[in-house]
Amino acid sequence: MSVLPLVFTSGWASGVNAYAVVLLLGLFGSTGLSDEVPATLQRPEVLITAGVLFLCEAVADKIPYVDSAWDTVHTAIRPAAGAWVGALLAGQSASMPELAAGALGGGTALASHAVKAGTRMAVNASPEPFSNILLSLAEDLGVAGIVTFAIFHPEVAAIIAGVLLLLGLVVLVFLVSRIRRFWRRRARRREERRMAAGARAGPAPPA
């Protein structure tokens, strides 16, 4: 059976929460629920590291502005994780070239990461924190659900991931104005902090 649907789905999920993908796939493999999971993802040190980082992301993802800073740091990490997982899955099944699987997983992860990061910027334009928490929970549950579903029904899960990615990109286009407002607010806050620091310092002493 081709591993292509699982690579695509894991790539989409990695763009949202890469640590959850590694943790879930590793657990499915180590418990014998799937033969598609490479041994590398089942190693205890990989599972422990992914679990700890998943908990860190679960907290950071629910705090306004901290979530966007976290997303910025993970602009390179999530696509790299998607490419790594995709290449491992392809190597395990030998049904498609590892390089192609890595490119597909990484590219899909980059696209879904852009949707997530852009959506978070738009959400941060609102003053209340509850939307961040709800969105983060929805993302966590969505990743867990679709990765689990992909283990047993990879083709259907890939279709769902494709639809979610397409819808996310469409929504992102409509959120551009909110994203611009987010960056303007950040720039204004930096300017206010700079002016406040200058006021506290007081005028320079005469020469």
Side-chain angles (χ1 to χ4, degrees):
M1 183 179 66
S2 174
V3 76
L4 177 62
L6 186 56
V7 170
F8 179 82
T9 304
S10 65
W12 173 85
S14 294
V16 180
N17 193 324
Y19 306 124
V21 174
V22 173
L23 180 61
L24 285 169
L25 289 178
L27 289 175
F28 287 136
S30 62
T31 55
L33 290 175
S34 174
D35 296 329
E36 298 288 335
V37 180
T40 301
L41 296 177
Q42 303 177 38
R43 294 170 58 177
E45 61 269 28
V46 173
L47 292 174
I48 292 172
T49 302
V52 171
L53 291 172
F54 168 73
L55 292 176
C56 293
E57 177 150 336
V59 175
D61 229 19
K62 296 173 178 59
I63 305 173
Y65 297 102
V66 173
D67 58 353
S68 288
W70 184 270
D71 285 339
T72 300
V73 172
H74 284 74
T75 299
I77 295 175
R78 287 172 183 155
W84 177 60
V85 171
L88 287 176
L89 290 170
Q92 175 76 2
S93 70
S95 62
M96 70 179 296
E98 294 181 34
L99 183 61
L104 175 63
T108 308
L110 180 61
S112 61
H113 165 75
V115 171
K116 173 176 179 171
T119 304
R120 287 311 181 89
M121 289 181 188
V123 169
N124 282 332
S126 62
E128 44 78 29
F130 303 108
S131 52
N132 297 74
I133 296 173
L134 291 175
L135 185 58
S136 177
L137 289 173
E139 290 169 349
D140 293 342
L141 292 174
V143 167
I146 201 165
V147 171
T148 302
F149 193 61
I151 292 295
F152 304 102
H153 305 284
E155 291 84 4
V156 180
I159 293 173
I160 295 173
V163 171
L164 290 174
L165 180 59
L166 180 60
L167 289 176
L169 292 171
V170 171
V171 170
L172 186 60
V173 171
F174 287 100
L175 291 177
V176 167
S177 61
R178 291 188 66 116
I179 295 171
R180 289 174 178 169
R181 192 186 314 158
F182 166 80
W183 287 112
R184 284 198 298 267
R185 287 180 63 182
R186 288 195 63 178
R188 186 167 59 250
R189 289 185 179 183
R190 283 197 299 266
E191 181 64 20
E192 289 172 352
R193 285 196 295 267
R194 187 187 66 80
M195 293 179 64
R200 285 195 299 269

